[in-house]
Amino acid sequence: MPYARGIGIRLEKADSGLVRGTLPWAEHLCTAGGLLHGGAVMSLADTVGAVCAYLNMPPGAATSTVESKTNFFRGVRSGNVTAVARPLHVGSSFVVVQTELSDDEDRRVALTIQSQAVLRPGHPRREPAPD
């Protein structure tokens, strides 16, 4: 994923039951005061969660995030954020993934639950109505 690579996300483990990735703190990803931006943390969760969902898709299917909810617990001023994603539900239309995010001291930074649509090959896409 070019965006994920561009902000520094690295995958460390990826199988259908668990995906783990990290995002190092970087000044260009921060808000005022040197805190890692929540959007960067959410990008890590969405990326790791999407990989987890993808690894639970039927052959030939793709996925797209349709809903994501993040609770933030603490800010990150240095080190890495580690994300661990596990599937909560694997269905024929949706995969729901929970991602726990922690800092280098193993303190919980955030928790994300996201729903990923199962996009099957050959499924007709709806085109927007003409104006």
Side-chain angles (χ1 to χ4, degrees):
M1 294 182 207
Y3 170 75
R5 186 175 45 251
I7 67 169
I9 293 173
R10 296 182 307 257
L11 289 181
E12 297 173 349
K13 177 179 175 151
D15 64 45
S16 63
L18 185 141
V19 176
R20 182 176 29 252
T22 59
L23 175 65
W25 180 94
E27 186 176 3
H28 71 278
L29 298 176
C30 289
T31 63
L35 286 169
L36 192 61
H37 192 285
V41 174
M42 290 177 73
S43 291
L44 173 61
D46 186 64
T47 299
V48 172
V51 171
C52 184
Y54 179 78
L55 292 172
N56 283 280
M57 295 284 129
T63 184
S64 180
T65 305
V66 294
E67 187 272 337
S68 183
K69 162 80 169 84
T70 300
N71 287 75
F72 294 97
F73 306 118
R74 72 176 60 248
V76 176
R77 294 181 187 274
S78 64
N80 295 294
V81 177
T82 299
V84 176
R86 293 179 176 89
L88 293 177
H89 170 77
V90 177
S92 60
S93 299
F94 293 96
V95 175
V96 179
V97 176
Q98 177 174 297
T99 304
E100 297 178 5
L101 300 109
S102 58
D103 64 14
D104 284 340
E105 295 179 34
D106 205 29
R107 299 177 297 182
R108 187 170 282 173
V109 170
L111 176 71
T112 298
I113 297 177
Q114 67 191 91
S115 299
Q116 298 272 349
V118 176
L119 306 174
R120 297 182 183 278
H123 188 274
R125 295 184 185 201
R126 293 186 182 174
E127 296 297 323
D131 290 339

